[in-house]
């Protein structure tokens, strides 16, 4: 076992892990931050997306020890300081961007990464960016709509609800 | 995953020393190796991370040669090569998805040499040089078949040098489930001649389509490929596409790459 320390959602976090412990396992099992979902565990679905030093990564495909000293952001840190939903989360609710909600943490974290680099993406750019985030429920249209709305753009012309 | 020890050295020399141990293996972005370990298809005793070595993250642009460190991510290549080598940047920006591109590295991709991977086509199509801690290997020498390369035990890719062509383009026919190339063709035009490298198609891995190179040397236009074809024997045939289909796609993608270059 080895000690790993990182900052998670602005707070110092540390724990004992094995070489093979995944970042997703460290977040979920050690820190009990179970908002990060593991949908496939084969690097395909994106439910486990978190930010490491500001970049979206699949936490099921990164070793916890690789995140030593890093700034990690998870879905638990996304809400506003007063506990209300942030702009992206609220837009997912307003535009019915989720059904079962399993993919949603990864979707929101990917959306946040996209909007940080590209504050006004086109619909196609949103769809391209979500290439690695799979949703089995919504058919994606309302997720795309929610992200476009969160970026402050008019979504009245985007595919029907 | 079987258990292993994890180390993250800060220099190439330390990494090379750690890799000298029996059953030690390099870890780049882990986007291929971690899924492989999860399936218990590999059993290293020690993983030596290359992501903490500043030298392997350098990118340099000198006299028409773009040099990319072995641990540079696909996302960083997409950004850094946008002006100097747009076709390479475009290829990097369409590997997998954004999260894969934020971790996966050029060294890991070339060391793995997946028959459907994108970078092997860029390296072979550009006549790149693979630089390791021991030597320099030309792309023509480097690729040795499916998942096979000239790399020896414990040898690491420290950089890749790409001569920048007059024009180039990569056309990837997406295999939508894996997000790899069903067939990908990289075409690059240099003063010394045209190079055409094909990935995803052959049972032997990435290859140069020399007949197309000769035709394009004579005339760099899509029609120059009319009347030329690759032999379906030796192409990959699987549930995603037959041999004949892949052979056909090679020509279609090559023409599109020439048109777009
Ligand atoms: C969902 C998904 C989609 C993908 N789509 C594509 C795609 O469209 N096109 C494509 O080309 N690839 C694709 N990939 C693969 C991706 O590009 C990987 O990042 C890449 O193949 C391996 O790079 P890595 O840095 O992650 O290497 P790792 O997984 O860390 O290592 C792979 C192998 O290379 C060795 N290695 C790593 N770095 C070095 C080095 N510097 N020197 C010597 N050996 C080294 C390791 O020991 C290991 O054997 C995809 C992967 C995923 C998960
Ligand atoms: S759980 Fe990580 S990509 Fe599916
Ligand atoms: S809402 Fe159910 S998987 Fe996306």
């Amino acid at each position: 076992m080895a000690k790993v320390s990182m900052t998670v959602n602005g707070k110092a976090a540390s724990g004992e892990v094995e070489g093979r412990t995944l970042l997703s396992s460290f977040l979920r099992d050690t820190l009990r931050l179970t908002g990060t979902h593991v949908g496939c565990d084969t690097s395909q679905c994106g439910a486990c997306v978190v930010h490491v030093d500001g970049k979206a990564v699949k936490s099921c495909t990164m070793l916890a020890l690789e995140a030593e000293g890093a700034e990690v952001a998870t879905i638990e840190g996304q809400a506003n300081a007063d506990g209300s939903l942030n702009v992206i989360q609220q837009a997912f609710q307003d535009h019915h961007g989720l059904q079962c909600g399993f993919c949603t943490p990864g979707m929101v974290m990917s959306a946040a990464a996209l909007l940080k680099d590209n504050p006004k993406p086109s619909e196609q750019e949103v769809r391209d960016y979500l290439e690695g985030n799979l949703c089995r429920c919504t058919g994606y249209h309302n997720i795309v709509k929610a992200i476009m709305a969160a970026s402050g753009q008019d979504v009245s012309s985007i595919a029907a609800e | 995953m079987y258990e292993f020890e994890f180390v993250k050295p800060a220099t190439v020399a330390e990494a090379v020393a750690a890799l000298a141990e029996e059953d030690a293996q390099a870890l780049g972005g882990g986007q291929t190796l971690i899924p492989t370990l999860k399936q218990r298809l590999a059993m290293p005793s020690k993983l030596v991370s290359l992501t903490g070595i500043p030298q392997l993250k350098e990118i340099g642009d000198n006299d028409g040669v773009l040099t990319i460190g072995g641990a540079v991510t696909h996302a960083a290549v997409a950004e850094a090569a946008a002006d100097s080598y747009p076709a390479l940047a475009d290829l990097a920006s369409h590997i997998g998805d954004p999260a894969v591109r934020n971790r996966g590295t050029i060294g890991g991709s070339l060391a793995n040499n997946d028959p459907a991977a994108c970078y092997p086509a860029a390296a072979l199509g550009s006549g790149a040089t693979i630089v390791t801690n021991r030597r320099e290997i030309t792309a023509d020498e480097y690729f040795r078949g499916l998942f096979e390369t000239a790399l020896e035990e414990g040898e690491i890719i420290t950089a890749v040098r790409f001569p920048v062509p007059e024009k180039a383009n990569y056309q990837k026919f997406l295999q939508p489930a894996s997000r790899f190339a069903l067939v990908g063709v990289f075409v690059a035009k240099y003063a010394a001649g045209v190079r055409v490298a094909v990935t995803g198609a052959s049972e032997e891995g990435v290859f140069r389509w020399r007949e197309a190179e000769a035709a394009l040397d004579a005339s760099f236009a899509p029609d120059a490929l009319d009347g030329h074809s690759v032999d379906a024997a030796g192409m990959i045939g699987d549930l995603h596409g037959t041999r004949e289909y892949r052979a056909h796609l090679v020509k279609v993608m090559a023409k599109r790459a020439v048109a777009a270059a």
Side-chain angles (χ1 to χ4, degrees):
Chain A
M1 299 286 264
K3 187 174 180 210
V4 67
S5 305
M6 60 190 83
T7 306
V8 178
N9 300 328
K11 285 196 237 92
S14 61
E16 291 284 321
V17 294
E18 294 184 313
R20 61 181 169 176
T21 305
L22 297 168
L23 179 59
S24 53
S25 315
F26 177 70
L27 294 170
R28 290 177 52 83
D29 304 337
T30 307
L31 303 183
R32 308 302 298 163
L33 293 172
T34 54
T36 296
H37 290 172
V38 176
C40 65
D41 209 26
T42 57
S43 323
Q44 301 290 331
C45 77
C48 65
V49 167
V50 302
H51 299 180
V52 175
D53 291 330
K55 298 206 185 309
V57 306
K58 292 176 176 172
S59 61
C60 78
T61 313
M62 176 167 180
L63 300 175
L65 286 168
E66 280 279 26
E68 172 66 34
E71 299 267 349
V72 176
T74 72
I75 190 70
E76 284 87 351
Q78 293 298 296
N80 298 321
D82 65 1
S84 60
L85 298 181
N86 79 4
V87 144
I88 298 171
Q89 292 170 309
Q90 188 59 53
F92 268 69
Q93 188 179 69
D94 293 345
H95 294 275
H96 202 83
L98 63 151
Q99 288 178 27
C100 80
F102 196 86
C103 69
T104 314
M107 289 289 179
V108 170
M109 297 311 289
S110 282
L114 167 66
L115 296 185
K116 186 161 64 69
D117 292 344
N118 184 357
K120 293 263 181 274
S122 66
E123 181 180 343
Q124 193 54 47
E125 284 171 336
V126 173
R127 290 185 187 275
D128 287 347
Y129 201 86
L130 296 182
E131 178 98 50
N133 289 85
L134 305 184
C135 175
R136 298 201 68 181
C137 303
T138 63
Y140 302 98
H141 291 321
N142 289 348
I143 292 175
V144 174
K145 202 168 196 175
I147 297 171
M148 296 293 285
S151 71
Q153 303 186 76
D154 175 27
V155 293
S156 49
S157 64
I158 298 177
E161 306 248 354
Chain B
M1 278 188 271
Y2 295 110
E3 265 183 78
F4 52 79
E5 193 195 335
F6 172 88
V7 292
K8 193 167 177 175
T11 65
V12 171
E14 284 166 33
V16 169
L19 284 168
E21 238 171 83
E22 198 166 323
D23 294 332
Q25 190 173 359
L27 175 68
Q31 302 303 291
T32 295
L33 186 52
I34 293 177
T36 309
L37 293 170
K38 286 181 181 178
Q39 294 180 59
R40 296 198 161 183
L41 294 175
M43 201 175 151
S45 57
K46 180 186 264 191
L47 283 194
V48 181
S49 169
L50 304 179
T51 63
I53 304 175
Q55 184 200 329
L56 298 187
K57 294 192 185 164
E58 286 170 8
I59 300 176
D61 186 3
N62 253 319
D63 282 340
V65 179
L66 182 65
T67 304
I68 299 173
V72 175
T73 63
H74 309 329
V77 172
E79 206 170 300
D83 295 329
S84 50
Y85 195 166
L88 184 68
D90 186 60
L91 172 144
S93 70
H94 288 96
I95 292 176
D97 57 60
V100 167
R101 295 194 287 273
N102 280 336
R103 295 290 308 162
T105 67
I106 188 167
S109 177
L110 292 176
N112 194 52
N113 193 20
D114 188 299
C118 302
Y119 269 126
L124 190 61
S126 306
T129 302
I130 319 295
V131 184
T132 77
N133 57 306
R134 295 182 198 159
R135 57 196 167 132
E136 299 190 353
I137 314 168
T138 62
D140 286 314
E141 278 291 301
Y142 177 83
F143 298 102
R144 299 278 170 92
L146 295 197
F147 299 103
E148 293 289 333
T149 69
L151 290 178
E152 292 161 2
E153 214 44 44
E155 186 170 13
I156 55 182
I157 298 175
T158 53
V160 188
R161 287 207 299 260
F162 288 93
V164 177
E166 289 163 16
K167 39 182 157 171
N169 188 262
Y170 177 62
Q171 291 286 322
K172 173 180 180 180
F173 192 92
L174 194 73
Q175 203 281 71
S178 74
R179 298 192 273 279
F180 277 74
L182 186 68
V183 166
V185 179
F186 196 96
V187 173
K189 184 175 186 297
Y190 290 89
V194 176
R195 293 177 70 105
V196 179
V198 181
T199 189
S202 166
E203 284 178 340
E204 303 290 309
V206 68
F207 70 96
R208 279 174 74 185
W209 184 15
R210 308 238 180 204
E211 190 183 318
E213 292 178 355
L216 293 168
D217 274 340
S219 152
F220 193 77
D223 323 348
L225 297 177
D226 288 344
H228 298 281
S229 61
V230 292
D231 191 351
M235 294 289 112
I236 299 169
D238 59 18
L239 83 164
H240 305 296
T242 60
R243 298 190 151 100
E244 292 70 24
Y245 182 63
R246 278 196 172 78
H248 178 69
L249 269 185
V250 171
K251 179 165 161 177
V252 173
M253 292 294 119
K255 282 185 154 193
R256 286 187 190 170
V258 172

